[in-house]
Each structure stands twice: as structure tokens, then as C-alpha cells.
Amino acid sequence: MGAWQSLVKRAGLTLSAAFLLIPGAVMAQKKAPAPKVDRFEAAFNRAYDAAEAGEYEKARADYKISCDGNFIKACLNLGMLYDEGKGGPVDDATAVLYYRKGCDGKDFKACNTLGWMYSEGEGIGKDVAEALRLFRLACDNGEMRACTSVGWSYAEGEGVAKDKAEALRFFTKGCEGEHGY
């Protein structure tokens, strides 16, 4: 047994603990296992990458797998592809279905976008009262762009009586968030 081994043994250290005392010594770290990604999240990730690369047909297919598997944030993205005609023809009625699924799943950006579909009558009958309800829901849950939409509703008298004070209140709330206009 060498001198340093004897010293380690007398000190009651293990060999690996003694190794850490050597200046500049680095032990190999056991890597934590990668977090498990379910197939719907994996489909979302593939769809996102495909959309970034301009491969919208593939993005539509993978976002659909993800949204159908209740990976809710995929529903807004899928709706947008239908709404904008990326990866296939424009289909506002289908976009509305996916925005609604996202909104029902508490994706408040999807609620705001669905509100716009109602306010414009795109893919669904025009309904300013429903649009306002969706804008308020999204605003109340932190979607600041929706707050400015509520503000415009009060400023223009769309679905509510004109009210400059309420308009200002919602515009201010929208501007206080990171996505204010």
C-alpha cells in the first residue's frame, strides 16, 4: 500500500472522496436521465421545428397529433395554420374548432384569437357579445392583448355601451403587460 493510500485509509476516506481532495481532479458526473417526453409533446416539438423550417404540411400533421392528444398549446398553433392557409388551404371553420379546443383547455391566447374570429365573423357567425366574453376571459387570465381588445370594445361600443373610462382602464391594463399595444 502506498503512502497516500495509507493516509486515505487512516483518514477514513473512500478513494473517490480522496480523489476530490487532489487539486484539479474532476470526477465524472453521472448524468441525470433526460426527462421523459410523451408522444404528444414530441409531436408538438416536431411540428414546431417543421413550421420554423417552412414545412407547414408536416407541421399541421404533427400539431394535429399533439392537439388531439390534449397537448393544448398545439391547438392554437394548429388553428393558426388553418387560419393562415399554411400547409393547406385556408379553413377558418376548422381554425375555430382548434382555437375553441385550446381555449377550453385554458390556453388564453387561443381564447383571444377565438374572440377575434367571433368579432370578425370568420369561420363562425359574427357575435360581438361572445367576442367580448372571450376577450374578457383571456384578459382576466393574463393575456394582455385581450385587454386592449376589451378596451376597443368599450371605446367603440362593440357589444357594450361606449364607456371612455372603462376603455381607458382596459387599455391601461393591456399596456401594463408585456404585450401591450
Side-chain angles (χ1 to χ4, degrees):
M1 183 179 308
W4 70 271
Q5 290 170 322
S6 177
L7 180 62
V8 168
K9 189 172 183 179
R10 278 187 280 143
L13 297 173
T14 64
L15 186 57
S16 59
F19 183 76
L20 293 175
L21 298 174
I22 300 170
V26 178
M27 289 187 63
Q29 297 289 316
K30 181 179 178 186
K31 284 190 173 184
K36 236 183 172 182
V37 175
D38 72 22
R39 69 187 184 104
F40 303 116
E41 185 176 358
F44 175 87
N45 293 335
R46 285 192 311 272
Y48 182 87
D49 290 343
E52 286 291 305
E55 300 170 358
Y56 298 114
E57 286 180 33
K58 181 174 178 3
R60 269 194 194 195
D62 282 332
Y63 278 139
K64 183 170 183 351
I65 290 167
S66 188
C67 178
D68 289 350
N70 292 319
F71 195 80
I72 294 301
K73 66 183 180 178
C75 301
L76 170 65
N77 294 6
L78 180 57
M80 291 173 75
L81 291 176
Y82 279 99
D83 195 1
E84 296 169 6
K86 291 184 176 178
V90 169
D91 186 342
D92 288 337
T94 300
V96 164
L97 294 174
Y98 287 113
Y99 292 149
R100 183 180 318 281
K101 183 169 183 174
C103 183
D104 290 346
K106 303 203 182 321
D107 179 342
F108 298 107
K109 287 181 182 180
C111 297
N112 183 49
T113 307
L114 182 58
W116 276 105
M117 300 299 275
Y118 273 103
S119 74
E120 300 297 319
E122 293 178 10
I124 197 155
K126 185 172 181 162
D127 185 340
V128 293
E130 180 63 5
L132 180 59
R133 183 190 75 77
L134 290 164
F135 293 148
R136 279 184 168 272
L137 174 65
C139 175
D140 291 345
N141 285 282
E143 181 54 37
M144 296 300 104
R145 289 182 178 143
C147 299
T148 58
S149 299
V150 175
W152 279 112
S153 296
Y154 279 105
E156 300 294 322
E158 290 272 332
V160 291
K162 278 188 179 185
D163 186 330
K164 288 181 182 179
E166 278 296 281
L168 180 60
R169 184 170 79 83
F170 281 100
F171 285 142
T172 301
K173 186 174 181 179
C175 288
E176 288 172 350
E178 67 179 71
H179 295 296
Y181 296 113

